[in-house]
Amino acid sequence: MKTVFVAGHRGMVGAAIVRNLEKRGGVHIITRTRAELDLTCQQAVSEFFANNNIDEVYLAAAKVGGIHANNTYPAEFIYENLMIEANIVHAAHANDVQKLLFLGSSCIYPKLAEQPMTEKALLTGTLEETNEPYAIAKIAGIKLCESYNRQYGRDYRSVMPTNLYGPNDNFHPENSHVIPALLRRFHEAAQRGDAEVVAWGSGKPMREFLHVDDMAAASVHVMELDKATYDENTEAMLSHINVGTGEDCTIKELVETVAKVTGFKGNIVWDTTKPDGTPRKLMDVSRLHALGWKHTYNLEDGLKHAFDWFLENQDNFRG
Ligand code: GFB
């Protein structure tokens, strides 16, 4: 039975990957909490790989957050992500782990990339300033994988998800992404019977959203593709694959759907002192579709599922 290390299993994506792998069965899954293994510590990561006979790695550990967190803690976003990736990718190689899947983000693409964004848009323009440090770290992660593949013949793949949401999300009022922030704020406003609720920015930016269970399924799908099929659909210097739905909506439309799902009936006030971020970042998912994977959740059903999870877990979620 192969041994699979899921780095970041307490996070939203890592937890979903563990659920997916457990459901499929037939693998031995290894996880470590932050207290057990500090992924930013090179020596600890080296020793962990040397002491465990790992066959495959899902690299879902990362410092993540929404537009405000990225803009407020740029040092942590670049430092922690670079360290985690460099330590894990190098230790995997040094201990002869042949397969690894690195998880990035759609913010690796230029702020004004042509829409929808194909994998070829990488490094063709200037990044969005609110999350440039995070994006640079994620681009470095892709290039780490490509470099070990080129020089040492490793099979380290990368997937770049669009904005994700779902169970185990971070519902912090300021530092979270837009969906968890709005689900919580609208729910609390509905409970109190507030007449209005505040959403950030102009409402005009467009975003694409993918349920995390779909992301986990796509990650396992890409990891399990045979090498010849993967290689045929990627290129030596562009070996990452976009993961998304290929459909987007305005933040205003998202807000209206969140109001419907949470039962909030009052007015929405836009706080235009908050940043909008990238105007649009729609993924071109044709490479992923050609590789035989498509999402299952539409946005409203996905939001209902995430909201149910929130209601069941609101007493013990993070933030
Ligand atoms: O999800 P979000 O923080 O991330 O914000 P980004 C998306 C959009 O929602 C922005 C608006 O236009 C926000 O102004 N928005 C409206 C809100 N109300 C709220 C709110 O209450 N909270 C939040 N957070 N936003 C992140 C990157 O960018 O996307 C990360 O900073 C990462 O690096 C992630 O790539 C996927 O899509 O703008």
Side-chain angles (χ1 to χ4, degrees):
M1 193 186 282
K2 67 184 172 192
T3 298
V4 178
F5 173 44
V6 180
H9 74 291
R10 288 253 175 110
M12 175 171 71
V13 185
I17 290 174
V18 169
R19 285 198 299 278
N20 187 296
L21 291 173
E22 277 173 350
K23 214 158 129 195
R24 293 161 62 96
V27 289
H28 173 228
I29 304 168
I30 299 192
T31 57
R32 288 290 182 276
T33 62
R34 190 172 302 201
E36 289 163 346
L37 175 61
D38 176 1
L39 295 172
T40 65
C41 174
Q42 187 182 27
Q43 196 185 340
V45 174
S46 289
E47 283 169 12
F48 167 74
F49 274 86
N51 294 333
N52 291 278
N53 228 336
I54 294 166
D55 297 302
E56 287 180 6
V57 177
Y58 285 87
L59 209 180
K63 167 89 181 161
V64 299
I67 194 164
H68 174 77
N70 268 272
N71 217 5
T72 314
Y73 312 108
E76 275 86 353
F77 274 83
I78 191 161
Y79 172 75
E80 289 182 27
N81 286 305
L82 283 173
M83 294 302 282
I84 292 169
E85 294 153 18
N87 289 343
I88 293 183
V89 172
H90 182 73
H93 164 67
N95 289 280
D96 213 18
V97 177
Q98 184 60 8
K99 285 185 79 176
L100 177 146
L101 189 78
F102 171 67
L103 281 80
S105 163
S106 61
C107 68
I108 58 162
Y109 294 118
K111 175 174 184 154
L112 300 176
E114 203 179 302
Q115 306 288 318
M117 304 178 301
T118 68
E119 287 81 358
K120 288 194 166 80
L122 184 65
L123 294 173
T124 57
T126 312
L127 297 162
E128 152 66 23
E129 44 288 336
T130 53
N131 57 26
E132 187 194 65
Y134 175 77
I136 297 267
K138 289 296 184 183
I139 294 170
I142 299 174
K143 295 298 166 190
L144 268 165
C145 292
E146 285 175 1
S147 302
Y148 283 81
N149 293 346
R150 280 172 62 201
Q151 191 175 338
Y152 296 110
R154 294 293 176 204
D155 187 5
Y156 295 170
R157 306 174 183 184
S158 297
V159 279
M160 297 300 122
T162 186
N163 290 33
L164 303 172
Y165 67 95
N168 298 301
D169 212 337
N170 177 357
F171 288 86
H172 189 281
E174 279 87 40
N175 294 334
S176 68
H177 289 105
V178 61
I179 287 184
L182 294 180
L183 285 175
R184 178 176 179 175
R185 201 176 305 139
F186 276 62
H187 168 67
E188 290 173 355
Q191 294 260 295
R192 288 191 300 261
D194 290 355
E196 55 183 44
V197 102
V198 175
W200 296 358
S202 66
K204 289 184 190 135
M206 298 191 76
R207 290 291 182 276
E208 174 185 358
F209 298 102
L210 182 72
H211 190 284
V212 72
D213 287 343
D214 277 339
M215 177 57 198
S219 300
V220 175
H221 182 85
V222 170
M223 179 72 124
E224 307 257 296
L225 288 168
D226 66 72
K227 191 166 179 331
T229 311
Y230 184 82
D231 287 349
E232 250 169 51
N233 286 277
T234 55
E235 292 159 47
M237 297 297 289
L238 280 171
S239 68
H240 59 287
I241 296 181
N242 290 344
V243 181
T245 61
E247 295 154 20
D248 61 357
C249 67
T250 63
I251 294 298
K252 185 168 179 288
E253 285 161 344
L254 171 73
V255 163
E256 284 158 5
T257 315
V258 168
K260 188 172 159 197
V261 167
T262 56
F264 176 76
K265 303 231 160 16
N267 295 324
I268 290 133
V269 178
W270 293 94
D271 177 0
T272 51
T273 64
K274 294 283 199 301
D276 268 346
T278 307
R280 192 177 188 197
K281 42 178 171 177
L282 178 64
M283 293 288 216
D284 181 318
V285 285
S286 35
R287 205 178 247 190
L288 185 65
H289 287 178
L291 287 165
W293 189 88
K294 198 171 184 295
H295 69 286
T296 61
Y297 277 97
N298 68 39
L299 182 60
E300 190 169 333
D301 289 343
L303 286 176
K304 280 184 190 146
H305 183 260
F307 187 53
D308 286 345
W309 187 90
F310 168 81
L311 292 177
E312 277 163 33
N313 294 276
Q314 57 181 323
D315 295 334
N316 48 10
F317 59 68
R318 295 170 295 149

